[in-house]
Amino acid sequence: MRVLVVEDERVLADAIATGLRREAMAVDVAYDGAAALEKTGYIDYDVIVLDRDLPKVHGDEVARRLVAQRTASRIIMLTASGDVDDKVEGLELGADDYLAKPFVFMELVARVRALGRRSASALPPVLERAGIRLDPGKRLVTRDGGEITLTKKEFAVLEELLRAEGAVVSQEDLLDKAWDENIDPFTNVVRVTMMTLRKKLGEPQVIETVPGVGYKL
């Protein structure tokens, strides 16, 4: 899942990003509204965590523009006010969810995951194919009933392959969804992760390399 955190309080923004990365999400950060609009212009995010009180371009205006552009990204607004009127106003701007500060981090994680599932609305919460079952909510992977322990990046890569439902997923798409914008596009990290993932999934092999194109399951 690719997430954008938009928050002008840098310590808070970086803390949220670090926590979400530990939950196997690919996370970018923008510290003002202008930077957020720039990033959303060339990256398709599954979920945007958007603070309302932003410099340069206010969070409300960011939400308005994203909605006007018919973005598929789901928006969760953060605000220092938990007033009902403020919540209603945020939702009417086009936000899909609303969370008042201070918040419990695991509640934010749960809400981001729920919105991520809605951004891929045609897909079931639990993904299954070729005897492999992946439960994003429980962070659980099994093959033919046996549990498999994966790293967070292996889990994220497998999730993207399962979501593709047999279609080929390019290395660029895997980098886009499982890593963040700081990753070197010429790195071999996808190939290495795929090698360890195949080993853990065992025989017979279910992940196929399509030369010059990508991978499919």
Side-chain angles (χ1 to χ4, degrees), residues 47-67:
V47 179
I48 299 172
V49 180
L50 179 65
D51 183 44
R52 289 192 73 176
D53 191 15
L54 292 172
K56 296 189 178 179
V57 180
H58 195 275
D60 290 359
E61 181 60 23
V62 172
R64 286 192 192 96
R65 294 190 194 181
L66 291 175
V67 170

Side-chain angles (χ1 to χ4, degrees), residues 9 39 46 54 86 91 96 134 140-141 144 169 175 186:
E9 294 182 30
K39 289 179 185 295
D46 298 297
L54 292 172
D86 285 341
L91 294 171
D96 299 278
L134 182 146
L140 178 66
V141 174
D144 298 327
V169 182
L175 284 172
F186 299 104

Side-chain angles (χ1 to χ4, degrees), residues 144-190:
D144 298 327
E147 186 172 345
I148 300 171
T149 301
L150 301 179
T151 67
K152 290 169 183 175
K153 291 305 180 189
E154 290 165 350
F155 188 98
V157 167
L158 180 60
E159 183 174 0
E160 292 307 317
L161 291 174
L162 287 167
R163 287 190 183 281
E165 297 185 309
V168 177
V169 182
S170 69
Q171 174 170 302
E172 291 75 17
D173 285 341
L174 289 173
L175 284 172
D176 184 58
K177 291 294 186 180
W179 284 268
D180 58 35
E181 63 185 352
N182 297 313
I183 191 69
D184 180 357
F186 299 104
T187 183
N188 68 346
V189 67
V190 172

Side-chain angles (χ1 to χ4, degrees), residues 82-101:
D83 184 80
V84 172
D85 289 340
D86 285 341
K87 290 182 179 181
V88 170
E89 184 179 2
L91 294 171
E92 287 181 343
L93 286 169
D96 299 278
D97 200 356
Y98 196 101
L99 188 60
K101 302 175 187 175

Side-chain angles (χ1 to χ4, degrees), residues 128-142:
E128 295 186 70
R129 189 176 181 84
I132 296 170
R133 187 175 191 272
L134 182 146
D135 187 329
K138 296 180 179 178
R139 315 303 296 171
L140 178 66
V141 174
T142 60

